[in-house]
Amino acid sequence: LSRRQRQMCIRDRYKKGGVEIDEYISRCMSNLSLDLETRKIDFLYRNDVEKGTCLYIDEEKIKRVFYNVIGNAYKYIDKDLGMIFLHIEDAGKMVWVRITDNGSGIEKDELPLIFERFYRTDSSRNSKTGGTGLGLAIAKKIIEDHGGQIYAESEKGKGTKISFSLPKKVDEKKKI
Ligand code: ATP
Ligand code: MG
């Protein structure tokens, strides 16, 4: 396929539209929060983006990103008192979504590899947590197809922070 044809395919695959951030997050979290509550994982949410700001995204696809990233935070928490913090930050045309957990953390040398297809760290391969190692590769693909970026920071034993950026919907009134 030519570059142009490839871009057409990507455009067809995503049904992008505008959605208000807070409303969207609470919709994404409505199923997840039950799981977290049952496992006694504290969930904290903080939105530092101006009220009423809208995202321009494929809601279903980005929901999958939330599920994959928060699903990992949930799966790799090894403390009695689990904690997941979801933080939304303003970055001009984009917003940053940051998801921090107090789980097992990831070794420094393995950190660059976790977004690769089928990659699972030594410790997760040796643990009872199942998985195919595709969750973050899928998340990365979806984020990049939205023009965003995704990366991880982590400290072994302490926890992990996954950050990804999402495009804002351009306000037509402000465009003049
Ligand atoms: P799948 O998501 O396909 O069920 P998976 O969770 O193993 O499988 P990814 O979500 O792609 O795969 O994550 C890749 C690897 O990165 C995981 O196997 C795990 O070793 C590590 N990892 C990802 N997120 C975290 C986290 N929050 N804490 C600790 N390790 C993590
Ligand atoms: Mg996963």
Side-chain angles (χ1 to χ4, degrees):
L1 291 179
S2 72
R3 202 181 129 84
R4 198 182 128 73
Q5 282 170 321
R6 231 175 13 242
Q7 276 171 348
M8 295 286 276
C9 287
I10 289 174
R11 213 174 299 151
D12 289 344
R13 189 183 301 153
Y14 292 98
K15 297 183 181 63
K16 293 181 187 170
V19 61
E20 200 273 317
I21 295 182
D22 266 324
E23 181 207 318
Y24 177 66
I25 299 280
S26 65
R27 235 184 301 139
C28 281
M29 290 308 299
S30 63
N31 286 323
L32 283 168
S33 58
L34 249 177
D35 296 17
L36 300 179
E37 228 176 279
T38 316
R39 257 216 56 196
K40 297 221 174 350
I41 293 174
D42 267 344
F43 176 73
L44 290 104
Y45 172 56
R46 180 183 162 130
N47 181 3
D48 283 329
V49 176
E50 195 186 338
K51 216 174 150 53
T53 303
C54 288
L55 299 171
Y56 186 72
I57 55 171
D58 180 319
E59 294 188 32
E60 285 306 311
K61 298 287 195 301
I62 297 297
K63 193 173 183 179
R64 192 150 173 218
V65 175
F66 274 93
Y67 272 63
N68 289 1
V69 174
I70 294 178
N72 283 345
Y74 177 90
K75 189 156 73 166
Y76 301 112
I77 279 180
D78 54 357
K79 319 280 190 299
D80 285 339
L81 289 175
M83 193 276 301
I84 295 175
F85 177 40
L86 168 60
H87 189 194
I88 317 282
E89 275 174 25
D90 201 317
K93 288 182 178 161
M94 309 289 282
V95 305
W96 278 106
V97 177
R98 303 190 195 276
I99 295 163
T100 309
D101 66 59
N102 67 339
S104 61
I106 300 162
E107 298 281 5
K108 250 202 175 65
D109 58 329
E110 296 191 288
L111 206 53
L113 304 171
I114 61 170
F115 295 99
E116 282 178 18
R117 292 159 65 219
F118 304 117
Y119 187 82
R120 308 195 69 219
T121 64
D122 276 338
S123 61
S124 65
R125 256 176 283 140
N126 294 331
S127 76
K128 43 188 192 311
T129 59
T132 54
L134 279 174
L136 287 178
I138 293 167
K140 183 175 158 84
K141 169 98 180 87
I142 294 171
I143 292 300
E144 288 179 351
D145 286 346
H146 278 76
Q149 292 166 283
I150 186 167
Y151 67 94
E153 298 162 274
S154 189
E155 197 174 327
K156 188 69 188 162
K158 274 200 156 172
T160 303
K161 172 152 78 176
I162 304 285
S163 300
F164 56 86
S165 54
L166 296 172
K168 281 185 196 169
K169 182 171 188 268
V170 180
D171 188 346
E172 296 296 332
K173 282 176 288 184
K174 285 187 189 159
K175 247 167 100 181
I176 326 159

